[in-house]
Amino acid sequence: MDRSYLPVAAAAVALVLVCCSGLCRGERLGARECEDLGFTGLALCSDCNALSEFVKDQELVEDCHKCCTEDSDDSISKLTFSGAIIEVCMRKLVFYPEVVGFLEEDKDDFPYVETRYSYGSPPKLIMLDNKGEQKETIRIDNWKREHIRQFLKEKVKPVKLDS
C-alpha cells in the first residue's frame, strides 16, 4: 500500500485546523496587551471598522482588530453607550492639543460626557452603560478633535428617564 500521500494529507489537515482556530485571520492579543493598548476586548470587530472611518491610523485599527470580539448574527453591530468620561492627566494635557480643543470648545455640546483628571493617565474615553458602570476604555491619544465629536455622536445615546 502506497502511503506517500500521508505527509501531504497531514499538512493539509494541520492547515485547516490552524485556519479554523482563527490564527489565519491574524494575531490575537491577550487581555493585558489589549488593556495596555487601550482596548478592553469588549469592542465588536465591526466597531474597529467604524473606528477606521474616524481614525486614519492603520496601526491603531490593526491593534483594534487584534483585541476585538467577533460579531455574531444575533449581536448588535452598533454597540452604544449611555455616557462617557474623558480621563486625562492634567499635566500631560499640553501634549494633546486635539483633546484640549475638544474639552475647551466642544465638550459643552455633550452633557452626558464628563471630564476626569487622573495623574499619569493618557487621554482615554471610558464608555458607560445605563447604570453608569464602565463597559469599555478607548485610548484617544492620536485622535483628532472632530473624530472625538463624531465618535461620541455615534456611540453615546443617553437613556431618557421617564418622569
Side-chain angles (χ1 to χ4, degrees):
M1 181 174 208
D2 181 22
R3 294 190 175 156
S4 61
Y5 65 89
L6 285 178
V8 174
V13 169
L15 180 63
V16 168
L17 290 175
V18 167
C19 286
C20 288
S21 71
L23 295 176
C24 285
R25 284 192 307 249
E27 174 188 2
R28 304 297 289 175
L29 297 177
R32 184 69 185 149
E33 291 111 339
C34 289
E35 181 71 27
D36 290 344
L37 291 170
F39 300 103
T40 62
L42 296 175
L44 297 173
C45 291
S46 62
D47 291 332
C48 296
N49 297 334
L51 176 68
S52 69
E53 294 175 26
F54 298 114
V55 179
K56 300 304 179 196
D57 182 343
Q58 189 59 36
E59 186 177 342
L60 180 65
V61 174
E62 289 172 6
D63 288 343
C64 181
H65 279 286
K66 291 176 186 176
C67 296
C68 67
T69 302
E70 291 295 329
D71 297 32
S72 62
D73 292 336
D74 60 347
S75 72
I76 301 171
S77 64
K78 293 294 184 185
L79 186 64
T80 60
F81 302 92
S82 296
I85 299 169
I86 295 180
E87 183 177 280
V88 66
C89 175
M90 192 175 266
R91 292 181 179 199
K92 291 183 177 181
L93 208 49
V94 68
F95 300 111
Y96 305 104
E98 296 289 337
V99 176
V100 171
F102 175 82
L103 292 173
E104 290 179 351
E105 304 288 329
D106 301 320
K107 191 195 157 300
D108 290 342
D109 296 339
F110 300 91
Y112 44 84
V113 176
E114 60 182 84
T115 306
R116 178 189 303 162
Y117 297 103
S118 178
Y119 182 76
S121 176
K124 59 186 155 193
L125 283 172
I126 299 171
M127 309 308 288
L128 307 172
D129 66 8
N130 58 357
K131 296 176 186 169
E133 295 178 11
Q134 179 176 333
K135 287 298 169 188
E136 188 168 351
T137 302
I138 305 163
R139 297 257 311 246
I140 57 171
D141 310 56
N142 299 318
W143 287 30
K144 300 283 186 211
R145 177 175 153 188
E146 184 57 31
H147 298 152
I148 298 170
R149 285 184 62 81
Q150 288 177 326
F151 185 82
L152 290 173
K153 281 181 184 176
E154 186 173 303
K155 290 297 189 183
V156 181
K157 308 290 183 201
V159 176
K160 293 183 173 70
L161 299 174
D162 295 330
S163 299

